Each structure stands twice: as structure tokens, then as C-alpha cells.
Amino acid sequence: MSHARATHLTRRGLLAAGGALGLGAALAACGDDKGKDGGSGGSAGTGKSGPWSFKDDRGTTVKLDKVPANIVAFTGVGAALYDYGIQVKGVFGPTKTSDGKPDVQAGDMDISKVTVLGNAWGQFNIEKYASLAPDVLITTIFDDAGTLWYVPDESKKKIGQLAPSVGISVYDRQLTQPLQRMWDLAESLGADMKAAKVTDAKKRFEDAAARLRAAAKAKPDIKVLAGSASDQLFYVSGSNLSIDLEYFKSLGVNLVEPPESAKKQGGGWYESLSWENVDKYDADIIMMDDRSQAIQPADITKATWKKLPAVKAGQVIPRSPEPILSYDKCVPLLTNLAEALEKAKKVS
């Protein structure tokens, strides 16, 4: 099945089910990391008015007369920019949970200070968007066609007429690449990348990566499975395509890998299993999707889940399939897995 065909077949269903990536099952990306040189312009990194340009991962260069002030972004992108001192005006994507609390993808943003244009897949209030007088829209990309994440297909033309867009690719590359791209983007928007908070976070990320590499080397036989739960199905992600899993694999983590043939219905991202077959793969540690559309481990009542050796051993940890792309928010992804490996017992 082609990537394009899989996109139409599974993207919406994936999100509804809280699938392994929750991503458009076959949204593929600019694999050549175009535009890595990032933002430029006389005022880049200063926050002052003046020409601004940024070449995104579609190879598209956005040029404006001044550094964007009215920024609208996918929630996770807004959260990453917030960590670098850039406040967006509006967001779209998972922002509030059903009880009104910040969604995990909102990070440290004060969601009361942003206009929420849509909180779920397919939601995007164009009238509210227009009222913000947006200078630029920023989101992530999961395909080689430049599809903007969480921008509805049916209204993308109208949305595109109101402001230019910037896309950061998070497909089929290691985590460090989009992290650097978000760094470049934040710097171009006026962020102080020499601030202690910023440089300290990057150092902590580097230290956490070294810790995870050492833990993986010390426990090469510990198998780690990346899963996600819906009411009807359990999804097992392979390392290919996912920025976090590709990076973990490069650090030596022994990840469970479903065969490519088993991942076809998931556009190459994951294999779907019935709950009766949730024990198909041996695993010593299970990393579970922490996003709001996925059922969380504490709420899984399936008997077959409770019988899994890793579950019985208490070796289940959270995973963020859509990481907030700031070094600060990515540190826990590495330290949680490193700690789990350090403490793990072989149970499979």
C-alpha cells in the first residue's frame, strides 16, 4: 500500500483509536532535512522589527518584512517555542483535557493565555484564526507531500490564504534533527538561545543521552516494546519512522521490531493486535503512549494485559510519541527509559 493511500485510509482512524503513533498512519516526510541552516534575516534572534525569513522542511522559504509577532501553532510546537521564551497567540491540536486541564502536549504553556482554535482532529476555527491577524502558522509534518499536521484538509486552502506556514518535519529521522530545527526556528523568532535555562537544558539532554547509551550497553538483552492502547486494539510501534524510537535505537536500546509486513495496515508505523494477541512479542519493558487519546496503563482492564510479564513486574513507563521539541521536554524521555533499563529485570 502506498504512503499516500495509507494516509487517507488510516490517519483519522488512528487518532480516534489512539494508535501507536496517533499520527496519520502514512504521513511521510522530507527525509533530506532541507533547510537545516534555519532562520535568517537582519533581525533574526533579536526580537526587533526587520526582515525575517525561514526555510522549512518542505524546502519552502517564508519571507516577511518583520519577525512574526502573531504566531499560531500546533499545540506541541507552541509548547516548544514557549520553552524558548516565544509566546504564541493561538494554538490548534490537543490543548485541554475533558476536565479543562492542560493536555500533555501543551507542556508548560499557560493555556488560558492562548486562543484555542481547535482541540481535536478536524477542528480549526477559521474565524478565530483570522481575528488573530496571524503572521505565520507553524506545525509539524509527517509526510513527503508537506501535509501540515492538524490543519484540516477541507479548509487548508482558506487557512493558507490568511498567513504563510512553516513546517518542521518529524518523520523518519532521529529526535536530535527536529530538536535542532526547532532551536533554529526559535532563534530566528527572537529567542535568547544563550540564556542559562536554554543552554542548561541542552546540556542535560546530552547527559541524559549518554546515560541512556550506557544503560542500553549494560543491558543489551532487555527488550523494550513501544505500545499504545485503544478499547479494541493494542498497537506495537517499530523503530522506523518515529523520531524518538529511531534515536533510542541509535543509542543501543533493544527495541521490539514488528516485521514490515505486519505494519502495512499502519502505514509502516505500527502493527495492530487484538487484545487476545497482546502477548505476541516478548518484552521486558513496555513504553506506553502518554497522549490523551490513548488509554493509559492504569485504566487498562484487559486480563491479557495484566498477565504480561513486564506489567506484572511493574516495568511499564510512559512514552511521548509526539515529543515537545525543546531540549527541556525531551530530557525526561531519555532519563525515564535509562532509569527503567538500569532497574529492569529480565522477565521475557
Side-chain angles (χ1 to χ4, degrees):
M1 180 168 60
S2 72
H3 284 312
R5 203 173 302 163
T7 297
H8 295 297
L9 288 173
T10 61
R11 180 168 62 176
R12 195 176 299 274
L14 252 180
L15 281 155
L21 255 292
L23 308 174
L27 295 179
C30 294
D32 60 359
D33 202 25
K34 292 179 181 178
K36 192 166 183 178
D37 54 335
S40 62
S43 61
T46 66
K48 298 178 181 178
S49 60
W52 179 84
S53 70
F54 189 85
K55 188 175 182 181
D56 76 358
D57 291 337
R58 299 169 297 180
T60 300
T61 299
V62 176
K63 296 182 179 181
L64 299 173
D65 292 338
K66 61 180 182 178
V67 175
N70 296 343
I71 301 169
V72 172
F74 172 69
T75 302
V77 171
L81 292 175
Y82 180 86
D83 285 351
Y84 291 129
I86 303 295
Q87 176 68 55
V88 302
K89 295 293 179 65
V91 295
F92 54 95
T95 307
K96 297 180 181 179
T97 59
S98 58
D99 58 4
K101 294 180 180 179
D103 188 274
V104 64
Q105 294 194 63
D108 291 334
M109 274 196 306
D110 182 346
I111 61 174
S112 70
K113 293 184 178 180
V114 294
T115 299
V116 181
L117 305 177
N119 197 57
W121 185 257
Q123 296 179 358
F124 194 110
N125 190 313
I126 298 177
E127 289 73 23
K128 279 188 179 181
Y129 180 54
S131 73
L132 294 175
D135 293 321
V136 67
L137 178 149
I138 308 173
T139 187
T140 45
I141 297 174
F142 291 94
D143 72 350
D144 52 8
T147 304
L148 298 175
W149 190 229
Y150 265 80
V151 174
D153 287 341
E154 59 272 20
S155 54
K156 64 182 181 182
K157 288 185 179 179
K158 289 183 179 179
I159 294 168
Q161 290 170 353
L162 293 170
S165 58
V166 167
I168 300 297
S169 180
V170 288
Y171 173 89
D172 196 17
R173 58 197 58 202
Q174 294 180 20
L175 177 61
T176 46
Q177 290 176 273
L179 269 174
Q180 182 60 48
R181 295 293 285 135
M182 192 62 70
W183 176 288
D184 295 339
L185 178 59
E187 185 173 35
S188 80
L189 293 170
D192 180 3
M193 309 313 284
K194 294 181 179 179
K197 177 184 177 182
V198 174
T199 57
D200 288 351
K202 190 171 185 180
K203 178 62 165 59
R204 286 188 290 109
F205 178 89
E206 293 165 352
D207 291 345
R211 179 183 175 185
L212 179 53
R213 187 189 296 276
K217 185 176 182 180
K219 299 279 188 74
D221 59 333
I222 296 294
K223 296 180 181 179
V224 180
L225 181 147
S228 183
S230 72
D231 186 55
Q232 299 297 322
L233 296 169
F234 183 81
Y235 306 89
V236 179
S237 288
S239 66
N240 189 32
L241 308 187
S242 300
I243 57 173
D244 61 329
L245 301 184
E246 285 200 13
Y247 186 52
F248 297 157
K249 186 176 182 179
S250 77
L251 294 176
V253 176
N254 183 3
L255 291 163
V256 171
E257 299 281 2
E260 290 302 315
S261 59
K263 295 188 293 181
K264 282 187 176 180
Q265 286 189 328
W269 292 94
Y270 62 87
E271 178 180 3
S272 303
L273 299 175
S274 67
W275 282 102
E276 289 74 20
N277 296 315
V278 73
D279 60 353
K280 178 177 180 179
Y281 298 104
D282 292 333
D284 302 294
I285 295 172
I286 300 177
M287 304 174 65
M288 290 296 288
D289 186 343
D290 68 355
R291 293 165 308 153
S292 54
Q293 67 260 36
I295 299 176
Q296 297 306 300
D299 299 319
I300 299 175
T301 59
K302 309 290 185 181
T304 49
W305 163 261
K306 294 181 178 180
K307 290 179 181 177
L308 293 176
V311 175
K312 292 171 70 174
Q315 296 179 172
V316 178
I317 64 172
R319 175 197 170 211
S320 299
E322 291 184 67
I324 293 172
L325 295 172
S326 72
Y327 285 102
D328 180 71
K329 293 300 179 291
C330 287
V331 169
L333 311 185
L334 306 182
T335 55
N336 288 346
L337 181 53
E339 183 177 2
L341 280 169
E342 291 162 357
K343 295 179 177 179
K345 296 178 180 178
K346 184 69 178 174
V347 295
S348 64

